[in-house]
Short mmCIF file of all heavy atoms in Angstrom, two decimals:
data_model
loop_
_atom_site.label_atom_id
_atom_site.label_comp_id
_atom_site.label_asym_id
_atom_site.label_seq_id
_atom_site.Cartn_x
_atom_site.Cartn_y
_atom_site.Cartn_z
N CYS A 45 23.02 23.78 -25.03
CA CYS A 45 24.10 24.29 -24.18
C CYS A 45 24.39 25.70 -24.69
O CYS A 45 25.22 25.89 -25.57
CB CYS A 45 25.33 23.40 -24.29
SG CYS A 45 26.74 24.04 -23.36
N PHE A 47 25.70 29.50 -24.34
CA PHE A 47 26.69 30.25 -23.56
C PHE A 47 26.11 31.53 -22.96
O PHE A 47 26.76 32.19 -22.16
CB PHE A 47 27.93 30.54 -24.42
CG PHE A 47 28.90 29.38 -24.44
CD1 PHE A 47 28.52 28.12 -23.99
CD2 PHE A 47 30.20 29.55 -24.89
CE1 PHE A 47 29.41 27.04 -23.99
CE2 PHE A 47 31.11 28.48 -24.89
CZ PHE A 47 30.71 27.22 -24.45
N ARG A 56 28.68 28.51 -18.83
CA ARG A 56 29.80 27.83 -19.48
C ARG A 56 29.89 26.36 -19.06
O ARG A 56 30.97 25.80 -19.04
CB ARG A 56 31.14 28.52 -19.13
CG ARG A 56 31.26 29.95 -19.59
CD ARG A 56 31.34 30.08 -21.11
NE ARG A 56 31.58 31.46 -21.50
CZ ARG A 56 30.62 32.34 -21.79
NH1 ARG A 56 29.35 31.98 -21.75
NH2 ARG A 56 30.93 33.58 -22.13
N TRP A 60 26.89 16.86 -18.53
CA TRP A 60 27.12 15.64 -19.30
C TRP A 60 26.65 14.39 -18.55
O TRP A 60 26.20 13.43 -19.16
CB TRP A 60 28.61 15.50 -19.67
CG TRP A 60 28.97 16.22 -20.92
CD1 TRP A 60 29.86 17.24 -21.05
CD2 TRP A 60 28.44 15.97 -22.24
NE1 TRP A 60 29.92 17.65 -22.37
CE2 TRP A 60 29.06 16.89 -23.11
CE3 TRP A 60 27.50 15.08 -22.75
CZ2 TRP A 60 28.77 16.93 -24.48
CZ3 TRP A 60 27.20 15.13 -24.10
CH2 TRP A 60 27.84 16.05 -24.95
N LEU A 85 24.56 17.86 -29.52
CA LEU A 85 24.53 19.03 -28.66
C LEU A 85 24.16 20.22 -29.53
O LEU A 85 24.64 20.32 -30.67
CB LEU A 85 25.94 19.22 -28.08
CG LEU A 85 26.12 20.16 -26.90
CD1 LEU A 85 25.37 19.62 -25.68
CD2 LEU A 85 27.60 20.28 -26.57
N LEU A 87 24.95 23.83 -29.46
CA LEU A 87 25.86 24.72 -28.74
C LEU A 87 25.59 26.17 -29.16
O LEU A 87 25.74 26.52 -30.34
CB LEU A 87 27.29 24.30 -29.10
CG LEU A 87 28.45 24.78 -28.26
CD1 LEU A 87 28.28 24.43 -26.79
CD2 LEU A 87 29.76 24.16 -28.79
N MET A 89 26.33 30.00 -29.32
CA MET A 89 27.37 31.06 -29.29
C MET A 89 28.70 30.60 -28.71
O MET A 89 29.29 31.28 -27.85
CB MET A 89 26.83 32.28 -28.56
CG MET A 89 25.55 32.80 -29.18
SD MET A 89 24.88 34.27 -28.37
CE MET A 89 25.54 35.58 -29.39
N PRO A 90 29.23 29.48 -29.16
CA PRO A 90 30.52 29.00 -28.64
C PRO A 90 31.67 29.97 -28.89
O PRO A 90 32.67 29.92 -28.16
CB PRO A 90 30.73 27.67 -29.38
CG PRO A 90 29.89 27.77 -30.60
CD PRO A 90 28.70 28.58 -30.20
N HIS A 91 31.53 30.85 -29.88
CA HIS A 91 32.61 31.80 -30.18
C HIS A 91 32.86 32.77 -29.03
O HIS A 91 33.91 33.40 -28.98
CB HIS A 91 32.28 32.59 -31.46
CG HIS A 91 30.97 33.30 -31.39
ND1 HIS A 91 29.77 32.67 -31.65
CD2 HIS A 91 30.66 34.57 -31.06
CE1 HIS A 91 28.79 33.53 -31.50
NE2 HIS A 91 29.30 34.69 -31.13
N LEU A 92 31.90 32.86 -28.09
CA LEU A 92 32.09 33.78 -26.95
C LEU A 92 33.16 33.26 -26.00
O LEU A 92 33.71 34.06 -25.21
CB LEU A 92 30.77 33.95 -26.18
CG LEU A 92 29.64 34.65 -26.92
CD1 LEU A 92 28.41 34.73 -26.03
CD2 LEU A 92 30.06 36.05 -27.39
N ASP A 93 33.44 31.97 -26.03
CA ASP A 93 34.43 31.41 -25.12
C ASP A 93 35.02 30.12 -25.71
O ASP A 93 34.58 29.01 -25.37
CB ASP A 93 33.76 31.12 -23.76
CG ASP A 93 34.79 30.80 -22.67
OD1 ASP A 93 35.91 30.38 -23.01
OD2 ASP A 93 34.43 30.97 -21.48
N PRO A 94 35.98 30.28 -26.61
CA PRO A 94 36.55 29.11 -27.28
C PRO A 94 37.08 28.04 -26.33
O PRO A 94 36.91 26.84 -26.59
CB PRO A 94 37.68 29.70 -28.12
CG PRO A 94 37.27 31.12 -28.36
CD PRO A 94 36.54 31.54 -27.12
N ALA A 95 37.70 28.45 -25.22
CA ALA A 95 38.25 27.46 -24.29
C ALA A 95 37.13 26.60 -23.69
O ALA A 95 37.26 25.37 -23.58
CB ALA A 95 39.05 28.14 -23.19
N ALA A 96 36.03 27.24 -23.31
CA ALA A 96 34.90 26.49 -22.75
C ALA A 96 34.27 25.59 -23.82
O ALA A 96 33.87 24.46 -23.52
CB ALA A 96 33.86 27.46 -22.19
N ALA A 97 34.19 26.09 -25.05
CA ALA A 97 33.64 25.28 -26.14
C ALA A 97 34.50 24.03 -26.35
O ALA A 97 33.97 22.92 -26.51
CB ALA A 97 33.56 26.10 -27.43
N GLU A 98 35.78 24.23 -26.32
CA GLU A 98 36.72 23.11 -26.48
C GLU A 98 36.51 22.08 -25.38
O GLU A 98 36.46 20.87 -25.63
CB GLU A 98 38.14 23.66 -26.40
CG GLU A 98 39.22 22.73 -26.87
CD GLU A 98 39.74 23.15 -28.25
OE1 GLU A 98 40.12 24.32 -28.42
OE2 GLU A 98 39.74 22.27 -29.10
N ARG A 99 36.38 22.57 -24.15
CA ARG A 99 36.23 21.68 -22.99
C ARG A 99 34.92 20.88 -23.10
O ARG A 99 34.91 19.66 -22.90
CB ARG A 99 36.23 22.55 -21.73
CG ARG A 99 36.40 21.79 -20.43
CD ARG A 99 36.52 22.75 -19.25
NE ARG A 99 35.30 23.50 -19.00
CZ ARG A 99 35.21 24.84 -19.06
NH1 ARG A 99 36.25 25.57 -19.36
NH2 ARG A 99 34.06 25.44 -18.83
N ILE A 100 33.85 21.55 -23.41
CA ILE A 100 32.54 20.88 -23.46
C ILE A 100 32.48 19.87 -24.62
O ILE A 100 31.94 18.77 -24.48
CB ILE A 100 31.40 21.93 -23.56
CG1 ILE A 100 31.29 22.66 -22.22
CG2 ILE A 100 30.08 21.29 -23.94
CD1 ILE A 100 30.50 23.94 -22.25
N CYS A 101 33.07 20.23 -25.75
CA CYS A 101 33.02 19.34 -26.92
C CYS A 101 34.06 18.21 -26.83
O CYS A 101 34.11 17.36 -27.73
CB CYS A 101 33.23 20.12 -28.20
SG CYS A 101 31.86 21.22 -28.56
N ALA A 102 34.85 18.19 -25.77
CA ALA A 102 35.85 17.12 -25.62
C ALA A 102 35.20 15.80 -25.17
O ALA A 102 35.87 14.77 -25.13
CB ALA A 102 36.92 17.52 -24.62
N GLN A 103 33.93 15.83 -24.83
CA GLN A 103 33.22 14.60 -24.46
C GLN A 103 33.37 13.55 -25.58
O GLN A 103 32.88 13.76 -26.69
CB GLN A 103 31.73 14.94 -24.23
CG GLN A 103 30.79 13.77 -24.18
CD GLN A 103 31.19 12.72 -23.17
OE1 GLN A 103 31.44 11.58 -23.51
NE2 GLN A 103 31.27 13.13 -21.91
N PRO A 104 34.04 12.43 -25.31
CA PRO A 104 34.36 11.50 -26.40
C PRO A 104 33.16 10.80 -27.03
O PRO A 104 33.26 10.30 -28.15
CB PRO A 104 35.29 10.47 -25.72
CG PRO A 104 35.09 10.63 -24.25
CD PRO A 104 34.61 12.02 -24.02
N LEU A 106 30.40 12.23 -27.85
CA LEU A 106 29.60 13.19 -28.62
C LEU A 106 29.68 12.88 -30.12
O LEU A 106 30.75 12.75 -30.68
CB LEU A 106 30.15 14.60 -28.33
CG LEU A 106 29.49 15.79 -29.01
CD1 LEU A 106 28.01 15.91 -28.63
CD2 LEU A 106 30.23 17.08 -28.65
N VAL A 109 27.53 18.26 -33.32
CA VAL A 109 27.32 19.58 -32.70
C VAL A 109 26.65 20.53 -33.70
O VAL A 109 27.19 20.80 -34.78
CB VAL A 109 28.66 20.20 -32.23
CG1 VAL A 109 28.44 21.59 -31.66
CG2 VAL A 109 29.34 19.30 -31.19
N SER A 153 34.34 30.46 -36.13
CA SER A 153 34.94 29.83 -34.94
C SER A 153 35.25 28.35 -35.17
O SER A 153 36.20 27.81 -34.61
CB SER A 153 33.99 29.95 -33.74
OG SER A 153 32.95 28.99 -33.83
N GLY A 154 34.42 27.69 -35.99
CA GLY A 154 34.64 26.26 -36.25
C GLY A 154 34.18 25.33 -35.15
O GLY A 154 34.33 24.12 -35.27
N PHE A 155 33.56 25.86 -34.07
CA PHE A 155 33.12 24.99 -32.96
C PHE A 155 31.74 24.40 -33.21
O PHE A 155 30.83 24.54 -32.37
CB PHE A 155 33.12 25.77 -31.64
CG PHE A 155 34.49 26.01 -31.09
CD1 PHE A 155 35.02 27.29 -31.07
CD2 PHE A 155 35.26 24.96 -30.61
CE1 PHE A 155 36.29 27.52 -30.59
CE2 PHE A 155 36.54 25.18 -30.13
CZ PHE A 155 37.05 26.46 -30.12
N TYR A 156 31.58 23.75 -34.34
CA TYR A 156 30.28 23.18 -34.70
C TYR A 156 30.50 22.25 -35.88
O TYR A 156 31.55 22.31 -36.55
CB TYR A 156 29.30 24.31 -35.10
CG TYR A 156 29.78 25.09 -36.30
CD1 TYR A 156 29.35 24.79 -37.58
CD2 TYR A 156 30.72 26.11 -36.18
CE1 TYR A 156 29.81 25.48 -38.69
CE2 TYR A 156 31.20 26.80 -37.27
CZ TYR A 156 30.75 26.48 -38.52
OH TYR A 156 31.23 27.16 -39.63
N ARG A 264 31.54 12.85 -34.34
CA ARG A 264 31.91 14.10 -35.01
C ARG A 264 32.38 13.91 -36.45
O ARG A 264 32.85 14.88 -37.07
CB ARG A 264 32.98 14.87 -34.23
CG ARG A 264 32.69 15.11 -32.76
CD ARG A 264 31.57 16.12 -32.50
NE ARG A 264 31.69 17.39 -33.17
CZ ARG A 264 32.39 18.43 -32.72
NH1 ARG A 264 33.02 18.34 -31.58
NH2 ARG A 264 32.42 19.57 -33.38
#
Side-chain angles (χ1 to χ4, degrees):
C45 176
F47 277 14
R56 298 292 186 267
W60 274 118
L85 195 64
L87 196 56
M89 303 181 96
H91 56 278
L92 294 179
D93 192 337
E98 195 104 52
R99 193 174 66 241
I100 290 165
C101 292
Q103 165 54 241
L106 180 61
V109 177
S153 78
F155 286 111
Y156 61 96
R264 309 289 308 275

